[in-house]
Amino acid sequence: MRALKALLGLVVLLGGLFVAADRLAVNFAEDKVAEKVQSSRGLAERPAVEIHGFPFLTQVVGKELESVDATMNGLTVRVGGRDVDVTEVDVRLGGVRLEDNFSSAVADRATGSARISYQDLTEAGTRGASLVYAGAERAAKNQVRLDVSLTLAELTLHSSLRVEGGDTIALRAEDLPDLPVAEDLVRARIDREFEITGLPAGLTLERAEVDEEGVVLHLSGTDVNLAG
């Protein structure tokens, strides 16, 4: 009986040591991934990275991680040809393959979200128009307020927002007032398309929605390399 108890005690001890070693290894890996993402993306702050699944060490041996979450701010993309920092970037990666002698990690699938402020969208090319939050009722319709300065008038309009082609945010004004100029000339000043480039390779825009702080982009993709 004493021998059995001693054996069980040894098993528990070894199990505890394995768990401790596994957690140390995953913490080290999370730090290294965060460091690589920060360096490759030129981030001012190190992102938060969390590797899921237990045990971690067996995932490393199999060269595939169950899932990885990453959260960061200040990721630079190009919106309408202008550099813009997107914030609150939250990416969830699944089936992450460790490749090139562990120097890269490519996810079979990924989803995420990011935010662009109204100020940044305004500066990205609305020319004489500013985008602002239009209130909860309009936000429920995915609309923003557009304050426009035209030669003939100062207008306050509401524009609907949608995603086109997996890489573009389009704004189209609703209910234009009667003006002594052709509608297409007015729309040329106020309707906008913002192409977004520079997202991690493999991620595309699925949809976008508005809230008080700006436009939230919802992303998805396959074969995504967050640090590539």
Side-chain angles (χ1 to χ4, degrees):
M1 182 62 71
R2 289 181 180 178
L4 179 59
K5 288 183 177 179
L7 178 60
L8 289 175
L10 180 60
V11 169
V12 171
L13 176 60
L14 291 176
L17 291 174
F18 175 77
V19 171
D22 194 77
R23 293 302 88 191
L24 286 173
V26 77
N27 290 337
F28 177 79
E30 288 169 347
D31 287 342
K32 288 300 181 181
V33 171
E35 181 181 312
K36 185 171 180 59
V37 172
Q38 181 183 19
S39 175
S40 64
R41 295 292 169 184
L43 304 177
E45 301 177 4
R46 182 167 295 191
V49 174
E50 185 175 3
I51 299 174
H52 299 282
F54 178 82
F56 167 70
L57 292 173
T58 59
Q59 296 183 71
V60 173
V61 171
K63 295 186 178 181
E64 182 169 334
L65 305 179
E66 181 179 307
S67 63
V68 179
D69 292 346
T71 302
M72 67 196 82
N73 279 306
L75 177 65
T76 301
V77 300
R78 291 189 65 80
V79 179
R82 178 180 178 274
D83 285 345
V84 168
D85 284 342
V86 294
T87 60
E88 300 176 36
V89 182
D90 186 4
V91 181
R92 294 164 294 284
L93 308 167
V96 182
R97 306 186 305 275
L98 304 176
E99 301 178 345
D100 300 328
N101 198 27
F102 301 100
S103 64
S104 69
V106 180
D108 288 339
R109 58 197 179 279
T111 60
S113 60
R115 182 188 300 279
I116 299 179
S117 70
Y118 293 122
Q119 180 64 32
D120 280 328
L121 278 178
T122 294
E123 294 177 359
T126 49
R127 297 201 311 271
S130 60
L131 299 173
V132 295
Y133 180 63
E137 183 177 347
R138 291 287 181 175
K141 300 176 182 178
N142 224 30
Q143 294 180 355
V144 296
R145 196 181 86 205
L146 194 63
D147 296 329
V148 188
S149 178
L150 299 176
T151 303
L152 299 176
E154 301 287 329
L155 302 178
T156 295
L157 306 169
H158 294 98
S159 290
S160 295
L161 180 148
R162 66 184 183 277
V163 166
E164 296 181 345
D167 64 356
T168 300
I169 297 174
L171 289 172
R172 181 174 175 81
E174 305 288 343
D175 303 323
L176 286 179
D178 291 331
L179 294 171
V181 292
E183 179 177 325
D184 58 346
L185 295 179
V186 177
R187 287 199 175 279
R189 288 289 306 274
I190 60 179
D191 288 347
R192 289 290 177 268
E193 293 183 354
F194 301 95
E195 184 182 14
I196 299 177
T197 58
L199 290 168
L203 282 178
T204 60
L205 301 181
E206 287 291 320
R207 59 187 177 89
E209 59 187 15
V210 303
D211 64 15
E212 293 185 43
E213 303 299 324
V215 175
V216 179
L217 309 177
H218 294 274
L219 315 166
S220 69
T222 57
D223 294 327
V224 176
N225 187 347
L226 195 62

